[in-house]
Amino acid sequence: MRTTTDFLLYDWLDVESLTARPRFADHSRETFSSVLDTCERIAAEKFAPFNRLTDTEEPRFDGERVHLPQATHDAALAYAESGMLAAAQDYDAGGMQLPCVIEMAGNAFFSKASVAMGGYAMLTSGNASLLMAHGTPRQKDVFAKNEFAGRWFGTMCLSEPQAGSSLSDVATRAVPDGADFESDPLGPRYRLKGNKMWISAGEHEITENIVHLVLAKIPGPDGKLPPGVKGISLFIVPKKLVDTQGQLTGERNDVALAGLNHKLGYRGTTNTLLNFGEGKFAVRGASGAIGYLVGKPGEGLRCMFHMMNEARIGVGLGAVTLGYAGYEASLEYARTRTQGRPVGVGGKDAAQPPIRIIDHADVKRMLLAQKAYVEGGLALELYCARLVDEQHSGEGAAAHEAALLLEVLTPIAKSWPSEWCLEANSLAIQVHGGYGYTRDFPVEQYWRDNRLNMIHEGTHGIQAMDLLGRKVVMDGGAGLKLLATRINETIDRAGHIQGLAEPANALAATLGKLGAATKAAWATGAPEEALANATPYLQAFGHTVLAWIWLEVALTAQRGTTDFHQGKLAAMHYFFAHELPKVGAWLSVVSSRDATCREMQDSWF
Ligand SMILES: Cc1cc2nc3c(=O)[nH]c(=O)nc-3n(C[C@H](O)[C@H](O)[C@H](O)COP(=O)(O)OP(=O)(O)OC[C@H]3O[C@@H](n4cnc5c(N)ncnc54)[C@H](O)[C@@H]3O)c2cc1C
């Protein structure tokens, strides 16, 4: 993965050019590479060797405490000491002022080595970054900076048992805590009551405290919770209360672990049902978890989604790296496992010794598919992370265009690898044959770990509706038009190059069909007709974007002559020959507004 990462960062995306910007002026290719070296080394030493252990020794709750393998504590500590928790933050916040694209590339080594062990740090970094954007100066000093330093870890508490995809149904209630609630130096103080489901890293003893970021609603004068997402507010709810200097006061907050969820994969990260304010740890003489308001009342979801692009690119990258881990394992296996004989004109010669399975065309197909999915996915995620840098540190039109492109690309960045790098994991199992189906080989765990990614951070179906229902139609389709312009620029450049003209023409034809299908989906203006086939649209859109990304990568790869470059071109050709034609089938149901799913009756099942 490292060689491909370097190729994509330096040869394709030219990330070195970022060092010309004032924010990154202290950096150079050397500092970027040394960050990647450090991440790769810590991941290899502290994460990868224990990935299976964290799967088999699931977190255990004894009724009082949660127990994790010591290796998880050691890995989290090593990550915190590397400074990566605050990698992209300002120097004066204790950060390294690294570009987002380098931060993401560095984190990719951890998620590849053990996605579940890396979960604690990823959540903490996201939580603290959100506070840096929306917290008061005191909230940043007390909470965010202690998280960046690795002293406390953080969570994101959105979901509830009855409110998953539809956060407007959040029922956690927050009421002002006493007459002086507005004068607390840590922020307006409330008492929270409610249940939060699926909270990753919601309980552990890796750090002395846990900073929960919780979505809740403040009741109106009639005592009722405001309907819809506009009534949602955001609160900091520490597991243990702290003073204005960030010292523990010795008081336990009223946040109780109701139980751990026992998952298919991702087992090394605790996943919890948390009860807020039920009185198990009544504090200051009353039940109700103490929470400090972040931002203004009613702006909770807006604050939470401020970091959404980065969070969703992070999920996509996690899916890519799990796909990558399976690809590398199955490639190594296919190079050593012998089985079967070549098919010749006269059939098979049983007297010949068996050949390595990598020499069978069908096994090469499975390896090429994985290569096309995972390397294409990696390129997509790094491209999107580079857009985040353009949005934040670029100027004028470039920053605006980056933001617009990210709007349309984010659902793809999250969903495409979640589906296709999971398929890569399935193919990695297939390459291993029966051995792949056992726990003696790592590939089944990669598949189980990866299966989460189509579910969290907005399910596949929700991402699809976001893309077709909102992103491609907003501002009169400005985002889609800009994406089409960028794709057409690539097509123009590739059209003049031998070996790339044919894929360029195929991409041009597909792009035309995608545009026509988008219009046809909305031809009647009826959302229920368009959105009934949103998922095939997401798949078609994703494959078109990936074909574009592969053509882009091929434009850089065709300048080299080594096996490495040949491999990139072969993966690009595989994608165009075997994958891009699928777009036609997906778009046909979109264009005709096929009613099969929409009109299916419950009683017909
Ligand atoms: C391992 C794990 C870790 C998690 N970590 C966290 C965390 O740290 N913090 C947190 O807050 N949450 C977390 N989650 C929760 C996760 O975000 C939710 O599971 C997810 O949002 C889906 O909600 P749900 O499970 O209630 O499913 P539902 O929303 O009930 O969805 C069930 C199915 O119905 C479909 N569906 C739902 N609504 C619609 C609709 N309007 N139109 C069409 N289809 C629809 C969905 O696509 C899905 O296929 C985690 C979940 C898991 C499994």
Side-chain angles (χ1 to χ4, degrees), residues 437-455:
Y437 197 65
T438 70
R439 276 175 276 168
D440 298 325
F441 287 80
V443 283
E444 59 83 33
Q445 186 187 345
Y446 298 143
W447 185 88
R448 284 187 290 109
D449 288 350
N450 217 351
R451 188 61 188 82
L452 173 63
N453 288 316
M454 283 175 81
I455 298 171

Side-chain angles (χ1 to χ4, degrees), residues 96 170 179 251 293 304 350 413 474 506 533 538 548 571 584:
M96 295 192 259
V170 157
E251 299 161 291
L293 182 70
M304 200 59 123
M474 65 182 197
N533 298 305
L538 176 84
W548 165 54

Side-chain angles (χ1 to χ4, degrees), residues 156 158-159 164-165 198-200 263 271 452 455 459 462 465:
M156 300 285 196
L158 293 78
S159 308
S165 300
W198 303 119
I199 305 311
S200 297
K263 294 173 288 176
N271 191 272
L452 173 63
I455 298 171
T459 63
I462 296 294
M465 289 191 293

Side-chain angles (χ1 to χ4, degrees), residues 269-293:
T269 310
T270 50
N271 191 272
T272 59
L273 171 57
L274 296 178
N275 291 341
F276 288 82
E278 291 195 342
K280 178 161 184 191
F281 301 104
V283 54
R284 297 175 190 168
S287 64
I290 289 181
Y292 307 98
L293 182 70

Side-chain angles (χ1 to χ4, degrees), residues 11-85:
D11 298 350
W12 179 46
L13 293 173
D14 186 22
V15 296
E16 246 183 300
S17 62
L18 285 170
T19 61
R21 297 185 180 172
R23 180 168 179 79
F24 308 121
D26 291 344
H27 287 292
S28 60
R29 179 166 176 159
E30 284 66 41
T31 61
F32 292 164
S33 293
S34 91
V35 167
L36 299 184
D37 290 345
T38 305
C39 292
E40 200 176 5
R41 180 179 52 75
I42 300 174
E45 289 172 2
K46 299 283 185 184
F47 284 67
F50 309 103
N51 191 38
R52 176 60 87 179
L53 178 82
T54 61
D55 185 63
T56 49
E57 283 187 26
E58 244 189 303
R60 188 172 55 80
F61 182 38
D62 64 12
E64 292 288 327
R65 299 174 51 203
V66 167
H67 302 271
L68 295 171
Q70 183 58 37
T72 304
H73 292 249
D74 298 343
L77 190 67
Y79 184 91
E81 281 173 354
S82 75
M84 282 300 285
L85 281 167

